[in-house]
Amino acid sequence: MLDIQNLTVTVQGKRILKGVNMHVSSGETVALFGPNGSGKTSLLHTIMGFPGYTVETGTIQFKGEDITGMSIDKRAERGIGMAFQRPPAVRGVKLKDILRMCINRREDVDETAISRYVQKLNLDDFQDRDVNLGFSGGEIKRCELVQLLAQDPDFTMFDEPDSGVDLVSIHLVGTVINELLQRGNGPCKKIKSGLIISHAGHILEFVNADRAYVILNGRLHCSGNPRDILDNIKSKGYEGCITCLR
Amino acid sequence: MSTVAPHKKRKKAGRDPSGKKGDIDLSAYSGTAEKHGPIETLKQLPFDVKDKSLSVGIDAEERCRSGSFYQIDHSVLLSSAYAEGLEVMDINRAREKYKWLSHYWWHAVHADADQYTAQTDKAQHHGYFVRTQPGTKVDFPLQACLFIGKEGLAQNVHNIVIAEEGSELNIITGCAAAQAVHTGLHIGISEFYVKKNARITFTMIHNWSDQMVVRPRSAIIVKENGLFMSNFICMKPVKDLQMYPTAICAGENATVRFNTVILAKEGSTMDIGSRVFLRAENSRAEIISRALTRGGDIIARGHLIGEVPGVKAHLECRGLMLSDRGTIHAIPELEGRADNIDMSHEAAVGKIAEEEIHYLMARGLSSDEATAAIVRGFLDIEIKGLPPHLAKEVKKAVTMEEDLHLF
Ligand SMILES: Nc1ncnc2c1ncn2[C@@H]1O[C@H](COP(=O)(O)OP(=O)(O)OP(=O)(O)O)[C@@H](O)[C@H]1O
Ligand SMILES: [Mg+2]
């Protein structure tokens, strides 16, 4: 699904990602751990194609196509989606407007799906509000997810979907992420893929990740079992975790 | 009755209060026009005139209208009222008919306020008189059109609107110039009197042409429990538009609201503001403006003056730049002259944040679609209490331009 080779990225002249290699297979969900400022969000933004993240070397391939220089909306069109860690408020644009525009791009559902989605995320009363304007931390996270439901990407990136979410809502967040990534226990063929950033790993108690990466100072260090890696980070810190698993 | 003199600090007549571009030379415009009309029905208007009128909310079919007033150049073509207790007529006729009108004539607006008021005092070309009888509630809007059909003409109109006690009135005024007209000068004096327990909503849509100079001069006096709401929309080119309508809350619980939505294209200068004197206990005011530039220069003013304790007012002024050229200069002013007043303002001017566009693009919208969604949202001010027929016209006027030419 996603294949990143030797990716080096600068932001305003500062090198943030240094030779990143990453692979996410079809149907696979991987977790990404790393300390504050290590480059997690930058990696997601680079995959999504935000200007300002200048690719110095390397390539990003998605579904076999080189998307390294592609615009954001084209990537979204190809099936990439993301839940932002800190999305901007967009004054004047209502949540309902965005959901409608996303749905209108799909053929499998019609606008009646909107009410289903907002109900699922307890966002009924937010449809007519300007997106993210004055939303609480937890509301923002749910609002990101409802947009992704409307968008229905094949590869979805979640930037700290669990931070700031209360103990009851996290269950809901987990359920919806599972739905987006086809992680239910049903027998259906899994083709959707995901990348989940989490610090404490709470969300992974609800969503089974297949693998985890650790990023440190712009470099991806290891990949392995998410639980083992998380336990290692908890006991030895990020640096210790890396030496251990190498 | 209280009075208000707009621009009263600039006592001397003959000076252009916009200052910036220097005085407009009034002698550059023609003071005479051939006579038009009268007509029996607006359907008799030439096709292109009808068409242009429609763009400013004037419906020749008069669907859902309580009356019409139509003036081209210096001629009143038609005035009609279909609702009980509603009067619509040529102001000159009204002044002959009602001697008491002299108490209202140049009362809210002063004749010597500036060269435009002075000019209109000297050479006035009709205008409308609208009045609702006490207790009359007129549901459908009354439409009034001021149209310029002659190149280079000066049109100086003087309007008076009176909502008697307990009455309700909706007016939509469309101001436009013929397709072939490029230059011209429109001066519009408008005096509004909102009596006790009465309400007026006044919606004005402009569609002039790229070389027109426009100088509305309006003042409003609102009595006890009265409500005046103004909606002004200009999304079309104009050379130089300057106005600063001034309202006085003269009676207890009087409420004034000004909503303004303007777009300045390259070559347009718009100096637009609203001012409210809160002169009576518990009076309320709200000024909301949205200014959009695609290369034109905008000054967006707002001035709230709290003169007695216990008044409440808010001013919100947002400007959005859609081009590297053009300017928006927001000048919100709050003036407290008593204690215990609650006045606030919010002003923001800037470009659309890239981050917001990128956010929407990540949902699959193209850059243009994302920009359009944000601009549409910017322009979509929620106008409280606007009757549905007017809300429709406002929405049409605001989005028409955007749909056709913005992107
Ligand atoms: N626009 C920018 N300008 C300057 N520095 C930036 C910019 N964007 C990111 N950085 C820097 O890049 C580094 C990585 O930031 P990034 O947001 O990717 O970290 P992160 O791993 O997501 O951290 P956190 O866990 O705190 O969210 C940080 O040092 C950050 O300050
Ligand atoms: Mg981050």
Side-chain angles (χ1 to χ4, degrees):
Chain A
M1 178 79 68
L2 181 79
D3 199 30
I4 297 177
Q5 298 282 344
N6 189 32
L7 187 70
T8 299
V9 170
T10 56
V11 177
Q12 295 186 338
K14 184 179 157 198
R15 189 168 298 167
I16 307 263
L17 298 176
K18 300 156 184 169
V20 168
N21 294 296
M22 176 184 253
H23 182 83
V24 183
S25 303
S26 183
E28 194 185 26
T29 290
V30 301
L32 178 61
F33 302 124
N36 293 136
S38 55
K40 302 181 298 298
T41 297
S42 302
L43 177 60
L44 263 55
H45 282 191
T46 307
I47 295 170
M48 196 71 241
F50 289 108
Y53 296 82
T54 313
V55 176
E56 304 287 351
T57 67
T59 55
I60 306 171
Q61 292 217 336
F62 183 68
K63 293 180 183 169
E65 182 184 16
D66 186 343
I67 59 160
T68 318
M70 206 176 260
S71 66
I72 306 169
D73 54 322
K74 289 279 182 305
R75 295 184 202 213
E77 218 167 80
R78 299 287 192 280
I80 302 182
M82 76 175 280
F84 288 65
Q85 182 180 2
R86 274 188 304 266
V90 190
R91 188 182 287 277
V93 178
K94 307 208 183 317
L95 175 57
K96 193 173 58 189
D97 300 339
I98 298 183
L99 297 179
R100 192 177 294 132
M101 287 187 274
C102 289
I103 297 245
N104 287 339
R105 288 181 149 69
R106 285 170 63 180
E107 273 157 15
D108 54 333
V109 290
D110 60 20
E111 286 192 13
T112 55
I114 292 180
S115 58
R116 273 207 316 278
Y117 294 155
V118 293
Q119 268 160 28
K120 184 171 286 174
L121 283 150
N122 293 331
L123 287 172
D124 258 327
D125 300 339
F126 291 74
Q127 291 188 69
D128 285 311
R129 280 177 59 176
D130 292 357
V131 73
N132 300 328
L133 192 69
F135 287 23
S136 78
E139 289 160 358
I140 281 182
K141 299 291 170 180
R142 281 187 280 135
C143 176
E144 288 298 288
L145 292 184
V146 78
Q147 293 176 65
L148 287 168
L149 280 178
Q151 207 181 340
D152 193 32
D154 293 332
F155 172 65
T156 314
M157 306 181 281
F158 302 89
D159 198 344
E160 300 192 21
D162 48 3
S163 20
V165 177
D166 68 49
L167 292 171
V168 178
S169 298
I170 189 139
H171 192 92
L172 178 61
V173 167
T175 308
V176 173
I177 294 181
N178 277 328
E179 183 179 330
L180 278 162
L181 299 178
Q182 298 174 327
R183 297 250 124 197
N185 9 6
C188 81
K189 192 167 168 277
K190 297 184 174 72
I191 50 158
K192 304 242 175 183
S193 311
L195 176 58
I196 304 177
I197 296 176
S198 175
H199 282 293
H202 291 318
I203 193 63
L204 301 180
E205 288 163 28
F206 300 91
V207 179
N208 262 320
D210 301 301
R211 225 156 27 89
Y213 285 99
V214 176
I215 186 171
L216 202 62
N217 192 19
R219 287 179 220 275
L220 278 195
H221 281 274
C222 53
S223 100
N225 179 295
R227 278 173 211 284
D228 295 347
I229 291 186
L230 203 57
D231 287 345
N232 266 301
I233 293 171
K234 278 177 185 161
S235 56
K236 301 178 192 145
Y238 291 99
E239 305 276 356
C241 161
I242 284 155
T243 43
C244 153
L245 289 164
R246 191 166 279 158
Chain B
M1 229 181 244
S2 345
T3 51
V4 48
H7 325 293
K8 66 178 172 191
K9 281 189 192 127
R10 305 176 183 89
K11 271 261 151 50
K12 249 189 274 165
R15 261 194 64 200
D16 180 358
S18 71
K20 197 161 140 257
K21 286 212 156 177
D23 285 359
I24 296 294
D25 179 10
L26 297 179
S27 67
Y29 300 92
S30 157
T32 55
E34 65 181 82
K35 198 169 158 37
H36 299 274
I39 52 176
E40 296 290 309
T41 142
L42 293 181
K43 290 177 194 161
Q44 289 170 259
L45 289 170
F47 177 76
D48 53 328
V49 174
K50 257 192 281 195
D51 207 39
K52 191 84 188 255
S53 306
L54 202 58
S55 76
V56 289
I58 306 300
D59 184 1
E61 306 280 337
E62 298 188 297
R63 278 168 294 214
C64 305
R65 296 291 188 264
S66 60
S68 294
F69 174 89
Y70 209 103
Q71 174 167 350
I72 295 185
D73 298 338
H74 298 168
S75 313
V76 175
L77 277 70
L78 177 145
S79 64
S80 56
Y82 311 117
E84 193 83 27
L86 172 71
E87 279 177 282
V88 180
M89 64 176 107
D90 176 352
I91 187 74
N92 294 5
R93 265 202 55 218
R95 289 181 71 206
E96 283 164 21
K97 184 170 173 189
Y98 299 123
K99 290 300 163 210
W100 49 261
L101 251 184
S102 59
H103 297 299
Y104 296 82
W105 189 250
W106 291 119
H107 174 71
V109 178
H110 284 188
D112 63 357
D114 60 24
Q115 70 160 338
Y116 306 101
T117 53
Q119 176 72 10
T120 307
D121 191 27
K122 211 162 64 193
Q124 172 239 338
H125 315 119
H126 302 275
Y128 51 77
F129 169 73
V130 176
R131 179 177 175 229
T132 41
Q133 294 293 339
T136 308
K137 291 193 170 43
V138 183
D139 284 336
F140 289 138
L142 156 80
Q143 59 181 4
C145 190
L146 300 165
F147 195 92
I148 291 187
K150 182 188 167 184
E151 176 72 13
L153 186 72
Q155 182 187 54
N156 314 326
V157 304
H158 190 154
N159 312 309
I160 287 188
V161 178
I162 302 171
E164 297 289 358
E165 286 193 7
S167 68
E168 288 181 17
L169 170 64
N170 298 302
I171 303 178
I172 180 162
T173 289
C175 295
Q179 214 62 46
V181 168
H182 296 287
T183 70
L185 168 68
H186 169 86
I187 304 175
I189 313 297
S190 299
E191 303 185 85
F192 294 87
Y193 301 91
V194 184
K195 302 282 181 72
K196 189 174 161 185
N197 296 325
R199 48 164 64 204
I200 296 179
T201 64
F202 179 70
T203 300
M204 182 155 72
I205 303 173
H206 280 193
N207 184 358
W208 298 110
S209 58
D210 57 352
Q211 292 303 314
M212 280 287 305
V213 173
V214 182
R215 292 288 184 268
R217 293 291 180 260
S218 307
I220 304 100
I221 296 174
V222 187
K223 292 299 186 65
E224 202 179 327
N225 284 321
L227 169 85
F228 179 80
M229 176 163 81
S230 153
N231 305 299
F232 175 64
I233 294 124
C234 181
M235 308 294 287
K236 300 290 184 178
V238 64
K239 181 175 173 223
D240 184 341
L241 168 59
Q242 193 264 334
M243 60 193 252
Y244 210 164
T246 299
I248 294 188
C249 293
E252 252 178 65
N253 292 317
T255 303
V256 169
R257 288 197 211 118
F258 282 106
N259 299 301
T260 305
V261 180
I262 50 172
L263 165 68
K265 298 187 179 177
E266 187 122 37
S268 291
T269 298
M270 297 180 174
D271 179 348
I272 293 179
S274 315
R275 173 164 39 205
V276 183
F277 287 88
L278 297 119
R279 194 161 282 174
E281 232 174 281
N282 273 324
S283 50
R284 303 267 177 278
E286 187 178 63
I287 296 174
I288 293 177
S289 76
R290 296 283 184 273
L292 204 57
T293 177
R294 268 179 67 210
D297 296 315
I298 294 176
I299 302 177
R301 299 175 197 270
H303 191 178
L304 295 169
I305 304 104
E307 300 192 337
V308 296
V311 299
K312 194 171 153 74
H314 183 67
L315 196 167
E316 179 188 308
C317 176
R318 292 183 185 281
L320 191 62
M321 325 249 326
L322 292 177
S323 148
D324 290 331
R325 295 180 306 274
T327 56
I328 299 176
H329 182 172
I331 311 179
E333 293 180 72
L334 302 181
E335 205 178 316
R337 298 180 182 170
D339 54 5
N340 189 24
I341 54 178
D342 177 2
M343 297 199 298
S344 55
H345 80 77
E346 248 175 287
V349 173
K351 292 193 172 176
I352 297 177
E354 292 276 295
E355 196 195 6
E356 296 176 20
I357 294 177
H358 296 155
Y359 182 63
L360 295 179
M361 287 175 77
R363 304 288 177 232
L365 276 68
S366 70
S367 172
D368 282 354
E369 287 170 318
T371 308
I374 293 170
V375 170
R376 211 178 298 125
F378 175 83
L379 294 174
D380 184 22
I381 50 174
E382 270 169 45
I383 300 178
K384 285 173 251 164
L386 196 64
H389 300 293
L390 286 182
K392 209 179 76 196
E393 294 298 347
V394 166
K395 190 144 201 111
K396 199 177 82 188
V398 165
T399 51
M400 182 169 47
E401 184 62 17
E402 179 207 331
D403 290 345
L404 294 178
H405 306 294
L406 259 179
F407 306 106

